[in-house]
Amino acid sequence: MSNMKTPIVRPQRKKVWVDHLVQFRWVFVIFFMLPISCMLHFVTYIGEIISGSKSYKQRQKEHDKNVLKAIKRLNERNPSKDGLVCTARKPWVSVGMRNVDYKRARHFEVDLSAFCNILEIDHERMVAKCEPMVTMGQITRAMVPMNLALAVVAELEDLTVGGLINGFGIEGSSHLYGLFSDTVVAYEILLADGRVVRATKDNQYSDLFYAIPWSQGTLGLLLSAEIKIIPIKEYMKLTYKPVHGNLRDLVNGYIDSFAPQCGEIVSENVPVFVETLIYNPNEAVCMTGKYASKEEAEKKGNTVNRIGWWFKPWFYQHAQKALKKGEFVEFIPTREYYHRHTRSLFWEAKLILPFADQWWFRFFLGWMMPPKISLMKATQGEALRNYYHDMHVIQDLLVPLHKVYDALEWANREMEVYPIWLCPHKLFKHPRKTMVYPEAGFEQKRRRGDTVHAQMYTDIGLYYAPRPVLRGEVFDGAGAVHRMESWLIENHGFETQYAVTELNEKDFWRMFDGELYDKCRRKYKAVGNFMSVYYKSKKGKKTENEVQEAENVQL
């Protein structure tokens, strides 16, 4: 790792043709991407209405038929000729930046696109049974009117249940409930041998239950999941608190917003939702929220902000007003709060459409936002994709709460990406050691936010063009990511697998624990049938020989 005290001096970078393509990409986006994205959003919405009009019994019948189709399709595979199993989902249909190049090698597709229904909302067990292609937007549209919600609702509406389970999912309530996968109580999995099993934490498939999160669908095909739901109210009472000073002051303000000085996070004073936005090394806004009834929100003197209207300022810019206005409180309709970062894609939309945050654009065209990320990826081409890998940062760093200051100091020096999203989350100590796990002995040290069952971590979200790139300086994106990953390994942190990685196989398994995953790969016959999680996450093209050799080594 580089010397933190020595400032990095970067020379000016000579522009190439791709720079101009990126600069004027908004022309293509505004005249083609937005209209097409708008139509796709409408088609998706119609599909949700059709699905919602069916009874749960009818949806379950369709699910059972689709399961039989998936089993039949899997049984048609000839392992010696057809390559490894994967879903038929197109490589560009994902939210992450990573090149999904594993499908360029010979592969055998199983189509799961029909698995897009909410199968049941069980009010007694407080569990929602969902198929893997169900989106967060679909779930909140169905459940919020019932005053119910998933315990962890990821912000972007297009994120799917399957992606959040097999990959990574987090929200402002994760300091209470953990990551999205921690709220799942059962998985329905199609194994490589054609068996369909239900895995829970205490049945015969408990090892599989703990191995599935972060496995990227490399242990079997997810057919449905039963997810914990909670009662909610109509509004979120949100408090915006500005913090000024140096990075240490900003981190202290963030920790003070939700973590008591001592003891576990069970106090009534602890907020239900927490996030902090750092706008520069000297300014941040800490936001804390609690559910509130309609009666409370609409009392005389209270401010109700319906941020879901297309013409409203983007949420992160609205929150920034607290830096000048000072601390204030307002009430936001719950569903609109859940998806507060969707319209602006956090703050990425500012790079795609530099003027999209202006009042005139929001008023006249804001109803078409955001452009579909999958559509953006499908049309960017190889040169543009490589440019974004080198000149852009989309990373989530999961670090222990007591290491947040060190991580921010490192990120400020090496990457200079602002705004920065801070979201606390529990990392549970499970009966079986999972791919991501707390620091050894955390339960004895009991630092702020920790409990005997879970260590408090923080997701540090870095999503934007680094300031050196914006200043026209040379920026070694691959080198910065490699140094970041080394820092994470040294400090017991984790990198989310949707992001671009520079990890080699040895360092990948230094960051993640592969013992349980490897045992399940062998026990449930995934080896030789599903690609390993490292090769699925690895940057760049995967040749068929490379993938097959890796499987042969395990066999």
Side-chain angles (χ1 to χ4, degrees):
M1 190 173 65
S2 55
N3 187 344
M4 296 292 291
K5 302 298 181 183
T6 306
I8 298 177
V9 179
R10 298 181 175 93
Q12 288 294 303
R13 184 176 68 89
K14 185 177 180 181
K15 285 190 175 183
V16 295
W17 67 271
V18 184
D19 291 281
H20 301 290
L21 182 60
V22 170
Q23 183 180 356
F24 294 102
R25 197 182 184 193
W26 64 266
V27 177
F28 179 70
V29 172
I30 198 169
F31 289 107
F32 295 96
M33 288 289 182
L34 279 184
I36 296 173
S37 295
C38 191
M39 287 190 289
L40 290 175
H41 284 301
F42 180 72
V43 170
T44 301
Y45 177 66
I46 295 299
E48 291 177 14
I49 291 177
I50 294 172
S51 173
S53 66
K54 301 173 184 176
S55 67
Y56 289 141
K57 187 175 181 180
Q58 187 178 356
R59 294 181 218 175
Q60 184 62 50
K61 281 185 178 179
E62 289 182 6
H63 175 77
D64 294 339
K65 288 181 181 178
N66 290 328
V67 169
L68 292 177
K69 289 180 182 177
I71 295 171
K72 181 181 178 181
R73 171 62 178 162
L74 188 62
N75 289 335
E76 292 171 354
R77 172 175 170 260
N78 184 334
S80 62
K81 295 181 180 179
D82 293 332
L84 300 175
V85 179
C86 65
T87 67
R89 196 180 189 191
K90 297 301 179 184
W92 41 267
V93 184
S94 64
V95 176
M97 277 286 288
R98 174 171 51 87
N99 284 351
V100 191
D101 283 328
Y102 62 90
K103 290 189 178 181
R104 296 191 182 187
R106 185 161 49 101
H107 59 276
F108 182 85
E109 294 183 343
V110 178
D111 188 3
L112 300 182
S113 60
F115 289 79
C116 56
N117 291 314
I118 300 172
L119 299 176
E120 182 183 16
I121 298 176
D122 190 329
H123 294 258
E124 291 185 9
R125 294 174 58 217
M126 291 299 282
V127 163
K129 186 177 181 181
C130 302
E131 292 181 317
M133 299 305 294
V134 171
T135 66
M136 291 298 100
Q138 182 178 352
I139 289 174
T140 55
R141 263 189 284 270
M143 295 178 61
V144 169
M146 304 177 188
N147 279 356
L148 295 173
L150 300 182
V152 175
V153 182
E155 295 87 350
L156 303 184
E157 292 192 40
D158 282 350
L159 296 173
T160 63
V161 166
L164 295 168
I165 288 172
N166 283 306
F168 160 77
I170 192 171
E171 170 54 303
S173 60
S174 289
H175 66 295
L176 299 176
Y177 301 106
L179 299 176
F180 186 88
S181 54
D182 293 317
T183 67
V184 178
V185 298
Y187 300 105
E188 183 185 18
I189 301 291
L190 173 58
L191 300 176
D193 59 7
R195 286 184 297 151
V196 175
V197 301
R198 181 175 181 268
T200 70
K201 63 176 65 177
D202 52 10
N203 72 359
Q204 67 187 96
Y205 301 106
S206 61
D207 53 351
L208 185 61
F209 176 86
Y210 287 110
I212 286 171
W214 295 73
S215 67
Q216 298 287 334
T218 60
L219 294 171
L221 298 174
L222 179 66
L223 302 178
S224 71
E226 297 167 44
I227 311 165
K228 183 190 300 182
I229 59 178
I230 59 172
I232 63 170
K233 297 179 181 179
E234 295 88 349
Y235 284 84
M236 185 65 64
K237 181 181 180 182
L238 197 63
T239 301
Y240 303 79
K241 185 176 182 179
V243 183
H244 302 272
N246 55 33
L247 270 178
R248 179 75 69 181
D249 297 324
L250 306 188
V251 171
N252 289 338
Y254 158 68
I255 296 175
D256 290 341
S257 70
F258 73 96
Q261 290 291 339
C262 59
E264 299 186 0
I265 298 184
V266 294
S267 168
E268 291 184 0
N269 295 324
V270 174
V272 177
F273 276 79
V274 175
E275 71 175 331
T276 289
L277 298 180
I278 299 179
Y279 293 94
N280 57 62
N282 305 110
E283 294 179 318
V285 175
C286 301
M287 285 157 282
T288 55
K290 288 191 174 184
Y291 292 113
S293 65
K294 183 178 180 181
E295 292 74 22
E296 181 185 355
E298 296 179 353
K299 282 181 181 178
K300 188 176 181 180
N302 287 343
T303 300
V304 173
N305 183 7
R306 299 187 180 278
I307 61 173
W309 287 105
W310 73 91
F311 51 80
K312 286 280 191 173
W314 291 349
F315 181 77
Y316 81 97
Q317 294 177 337
H318 170 69
Q320 194 173 8
K321 295 175 183 177
L323 296 175
K324 294 182 179 178
K325 184 178 179 180
E327 183 174 339
F328 67 96
V329 178
E330 64 183 15
F331 293 81
I332 300 174
T334 299
R335 185 175 186 276
E336 295 178 25
Y337 175 77
Y338 283 152
H339 302 303
R340 61 200 177 278
H341 294 301
T342 292
R343 203 154 35 95
S344 60
L345 300 175
F346 280 88
W347 29 91
E348 285 283 304
K350 180 71 174 173
L351 284 176
I352 301 168
L353 291 167
F355 43 78
D357 60 338
Q358 300 298 307
W359 71 267
W360 55 268
F361 183 93
R362 295 198 315 268
F363 186 82
F364 292 107
L365 295 175
W367 54 276
M368 289 198 290
M369 292 289 286
K372 279 271 190 183
I373 297 176
S374 56
L375 206 56
M376 297 286 293
K377 291 176 65 178
T379 57
Q380 66 185 4
E382 192 77 19
L384 203 56
R385 180 167 56 175
N386 292 333
Y387 177 91
Y388 282 126
H389 280 188
D390 295 332
M391 302 295 173
H392 198 86
V393 174
I394 296 186
Q395 295 282 350
D396 283 274
L397 286 59
L398 307 188
V399 300
L401 184 61
H402 65 94
K403 294 284 183 72
V404 170
Y405 169 73
D406 295 333
L408 289 176
E409 188 180 43
W410 183 91
N412 180 63
R413 180 180 184 277
E414 291 278 350
M415 292 185 171
E416 291 186 78
V417 174
Y418 291 96
I420 294 175
W421 187 58
L422 299 184
C423 184
H425 70 91
K426 283 183 176 179
L427 194 58
F428 288 98
K429 182 180 180 180
H430 294 295
R432 297 173 183 266
K433 196 174 183 182
T434 53
M435 284 183 67
V436 294
Y437 56 97
E439 292 178 295
F442 77 92
E443 58 268 64
Q444 281 80 42
K445 296 179 181 178
R446 294 296 293 276
R447 299 181 181 93
R448 287 184 68 180
D450 293 353
T451 71
V452 293
H453 303 294
Q455 184 178 9
M456 190 60 69
Y457 265 60
T458 288
D459 177 358
I460 300 177
L462 305 174
Y463 327 121
Y464 210 62
R467 290 188 175 181
V469 173
L470 298 176
R471 293 193 296 261
E473 299 171 358
V474 171
F475 180 75
D476 179 10
V481 170
H482 181 73
R483 292 189 293 274
M484 177 199 78
E485 291 166 338
S486 297
W487 188 94
L488 289 172
I489 292 171
E490 292 169 9
N491 290 275
H492 201 84
F494 303 95
E495 175 188 32
T496 53
Q497 295 164 356
Y498 79 87
V500 177
T501 177
E502 299 292 336
L503 289 170
N504 58 38
E505 190 167 10
K506 179 181 178 182
D507 286 339
F508 183 89
W509 293 117
R510 286 178 64 205
M511 179 179 290
F512 301 101
D513 189 279
E515 183 177 356
L516 176 63
Y517 171 78
D518 186 57
K519 287 180 180 177
C520 287
R521 288 264 297 165
R522 297 172 186 278
K523 179 178 178 181
Y524 297 106
K525 299 180 173 59
V527 178
N529 293 305
F530 292 95
M531 184 181 294
S532 77
V533 67
Y534 166 70
Y535 280 93
K536 195 167 183 179
S537 303
K538 183 184 176 185
K539 178 183 175 182
K541 298 179 180 179
K542 290 83 172 172
T543 66
E544 187 171 335
N545 288 338
E546 179 185 22
V547 172
Q548 196 59 54
E549 283 177 12
E551 292 300 300
N552 290 337
V553 167
Q554 287 193 301
L555 283 168

